Amino acid sequence: AQRVTQPEKLLSVFKGAPVELKCNYSYSGSPELFWYVQYSRQRLQLLLRHISRESIKGFTADLNKGETSFHLKKPFAQEEDSAMYYCALTPSNAGGTSYGKLTFGQGTILTVHP
Amino acid sequence: GAVVSQHPSRVICKSGTSVKIECRSLDFQATTMFWYRQFPKKSLMLMATSNEGSKATYEQGVEKDKFLINHASLTLSTLTVTSAHPEDSSFYICSASWRGSYNEQFFGPGTRLTVL
């Protein structure tokens, strides 16, 4: 079974400071990792996924298979980054009833102060 | 594109009654829909996965007779909470995907259920 751990429930930084949201996972196979974001009063939406290797809104995340981590980073946080962030995992190339099933971490509430 | 809607957005019901929540994919055909429960400031708990035209697959600990899921078409899935109790009060969220979305799920806005 897979598991995703986000050790920080709350994270506060000041505007312009670097931010790193931690995510560790456990899964015996080859995972696909995602970061989803939920802004206040909005629905959950995809921020980025490791296979695309894109930088979205200045955020990046690198999959480190050795450390089983997928930390989310941004060099200069902005106030509009304040939101709940979820790390999620799905088995890649899974078939049958496991296809596309996401396992979410507990979430980290990021607050960026002015 | 890839918009998912949920109806109603908020519902209050009496204990013992049943409540139906609809999840629709508005601009794509969802081969798979997922139902989650979200507790305040906590993670999303997957309740079940539903594939169009087949029975839903429930996660361990989720009562299938209490949470009835129907995915009758490629754009609609329904979750019926039967004989609701106050402890069923929660935020229910659906999401949808299709094989071409490469495991990305598109989420609905959620439904706040309050059972009195």
Side-chain angles (χ1 to χ4, degrees):
Chain A
Q2 54 263 32
R3 190 191 307 180
V4 177
T5 304
Q6 292 178 249
E8 303 139 329
K9 207 168 186 176
L10 301 169
L11 186 61
S12 287
V13 299
F14 285 99
K15 178 182 170 182
V19 63
E20 180 179 66
L21 289 85
K22 291 185 167 42
C23 172
N24 289 91
Y25 67 90
S26 64
Y27 178 60
S28 55
S30 179
E32 189 170 349
L33 276 296
F34 304 80
W35 277 99
Y36 279 84
V37 60
Q38 189 171 27
Y39 299 102
S40 179
R41 300 183 186 278
Q42 293 188 29
R43 68 186 69 195
L44 207 62
Q45 57 186 288
L46 179 67
L47 180 62
L48 55 80
R49 57 199 304 171
H50 88 270
I51 60 170
S52 63
R53 296 181 178 275
E54 288 178 309
S55 170
I56 307 293
K57 298 185 179 182
F59 285 98
T60 58
D62 291 316
L63 178 60
N64 186 322
K65 292 187 177 180
E67 295 183 359
T68 60
S69 68
F70 188 57
H71 303 327
L72 182 68
K73 299 176 186 178
K74 184 168 182 176
F76 307 103
Q78 302 300 314
E79 288 177 70
E80 54 265 29
D81 296 328
S82 296
M84 170 77 101
Y85 290 80
Y86 291 99
C87 182
L89 174 156
T90 192
S92 60
N93 300 319
T97 56
S98 292
Y99 185 81
K101 221 163 78 162
L102 284 171
T103 298
F104 283 88
Q106 301 92 316
T108 298
I109 299 173
L110 173 65
T111 304
V112 181
H113 299 283
Chain B
V3 179
V4 175
S5 71
Q6 274 182 251
H7 179 79
S9 58
R10 188 179 292 266
V11 58
I12 301 172
C13 70
K14 290 183 180 176
S15 200
T17 60
S18 294
V19 173
K20 182 187 281 188
I21 302 169
E22 291 186 349
C23 176
R24 291 181 186 273
S25 57
L26 299 185
D27 50 3
F28 65 99
Q29 293 186 322
T31 46
T32 307
M33 286 183 165
F34 303 86
W35 285 95
Y36 295 88
R37 191 168 169 175
Q38 185 179 35
F39 296 94
K41 299 199 174 174
K42 291 196 175 177
S43 188
L44 283 79
M45 182 194 82
L46 179 65
M47 299 173 67
T49 302
S50 115
N51 292 294
E52 186 265 338
S54 61
K55 286 184 180 178
T57 304
Y58 289 81
E59 295 300 299
Q60 196 170 14
V62 178
E63 298 175 59
K64 59 179 70 175
D65 293 332
K66 179 161 188 63
F67 298 100
L68 300 178
I69 291 171
N70 183 277
H71 191 166
S73 78
L74 282 171
T75 59
L76 174 65
S77 176
T78 59
L79 166 68
T80 302
V81 183
T82 63
S83 188
H85 285 273
E87 56 264 31
D88 298 327
S89 299
S90 194
F91 197 57
Y92 292 88
I93 302 175
C94 74
S95 70
S97 67
W98 73 97
R99 295 248 169 213
S101 67
Y102 302 103
N103 286 333
E104 181 176 353
Q105 291 182 24
F106 298 91
F107 286 81
T111 296
R112 169 73 58 196
L113 170 64
T114 303
V115 184
L116 302 176

